[in-house]
Amino acid sequence: MARYTGPSCRLCRREGQKLFLKGERCYCSKCALERRAYAPGQHGQDRKGKQSNYGLQLREKQKAKRFYGLQETQFRNYFEKAAKKKGVTGENLLIMLETRFDNAVFRMGFASSRKEARQLVLHGHFTVNGKKQNIPSMAIKAGDVIKVKEKSAASPKFKEIKDMAISTPSWISIDTEKLEGKVLALPRREDIDTPVAEHLIVELYSK
């Protein structure tokens, strides 16, 4: 299945909430969801009525998949791995998604969106524990240090970050002067602010 290449804002309108796929644009008045707060398509404004349980579960899965920029097969593979782990399957799933390399780069403030973070990782702008890594799906572990490569640090993109005040989740620390971040611990469910009802995803895949 090919990666979605259409308008990112269309996905936010379909889910009825901001997925923060366009970086700074999502926080300003140009946000498409603020201008057209209804589903896309010819009959977007006409969609009314209560959703079925299946519809609710499907929308939650689609929303989570789009938040993290995954394809269907990738997302199902994560769910199957989460189901095999000890603990609560839904929480395991979110923790695995949060500890992807590209998401960690986004959480550290090195990118304005997960999509941009994925591109930066693919282009080899970061090292993990001193070694160059360019696989967005790589799992980050507690104690890992992610740093902008010395050659990349000279670019205007990363120079701007040195003067920014970046808010990070409690499981991550960031040193903007050195352009590096550290994973202090694996995130817990309460550390993850992604607005996803993971139990609905578990119910969907458990059928």
Side-chain angles (χ1 to χ4, degrees):
M1 178 180 170
R3 185 173 295 279
Y4 176 78
T5 57
S8 297
C9 295
R10 186 181 180 91
L11 300 180
C12 296
R13 291 177 59 208
R14 180 64 188 90
E15 300 307 329
Q17 71 179 89
K18 293 186 180 185
L19 304 179
F20 300 100
L21 304 176
K22 298 274 287 189
E24 294 179 4
R25 185 185 180 94
C26 300
Y27 298 93
C28 69
S29 59
K30 292 182 180 180
C31 173
L33 187 63
E34 292 190 7
R35 292 184 295 164
R36 293 174 290 175
Y38 51 85
Q42 182 179 356
H43 303 291
Q45 298 184 69
D46 302 328
R47 292 178 181 172
K48 296 179 181 179
K50 187 177 179 181
Q51 277 190 320
S52 64
N53 286 336
Y54 173 77
L56 291 171
Q57 294 163 0
L58 179 62
R59 290 266 57 85
E60 210 64 25
K61 186 264 292 184
Q62 292 293 85
K63 183 169 64 175
K65 191 177 74 171
R66 289 165 175 171
F67 256 117
Y68 292 98
L70 304 183
Q71 298 179 53
E72 182 64 36
T73 302
Q74 288 177 302
F75 193 83
R76 178 174 274 278
N77 287 342
Y78 273 113
F79 177 81
E80 291 176 353
K81 290 177 182 177
K84 293 177 181 177
K85 285 177 170 282
K86 291 182 179 180
V88 181
T89 298
E91 293 183 8
N92 290 341
L93 174 62
L94 287 183
I95 291 170
M96 290 174 70
L97 295 175
E98 277 292 303
T99 51
R100 281 172 55 96
F101 186 12
D102 55 356
N103 184 74
V105 167
F106 166 68
R107 292 293 193 185
M108 289 176 179
F110 294 139
S112 60
S113 68
R114 290 181 177 87
K115 184 177 181 180
E116 183 185 30
R118 186 177 303 109
Q119 290 177 328
L120 292 173
V121 170
L122 285 170
H123 292 166
H125 290 292
F126 300 96
T127 63
V128 178
N129 301 328
K131 295 182 179 179
K132 177 183 172 182
Q133 301 289 353
N134 61 357
I135 302 175
S137 62
M138 185 180 75
I140 299 300
K141 303 181 295 297
D144 283 351
V145 175
I146 297 173
K147 186 172 183 176
V148 177
K149 283 174 55 182
E150 187 174 343
K151 189 175 181 181
S152 301
S155 72
K157 161 69 183 175
F158 294 113
K159 279 184 176 179
E160 290 178 0
I161 293 176
K162 290 188 176 183
D163 300 321
M164 294 171 61
I166 299 174
S167 176
T168 60
S170 60
W171 55 281
I172 282 175
S173 67
I174 178 76
D175 186 331
T176 53
E177 188 60 35
K178 294 181 179 179
L179 289 177
E180 72 175 32
K182 183 175 182 178
V183 180
L184 302 176
L186 292 181
R188 297 168 297 175
R189 179 62 185 96
E190 53 266 33
D191 300 323
I192 302 172
D193 61 1
T194 308
V196 172
E198 64 274 14
H199 69 280
L200 293 178
I201 301 173
V202 176
E203 290 174 8
L204 177 68
Y205 280 131
S206 299
K207 291 184 176 180

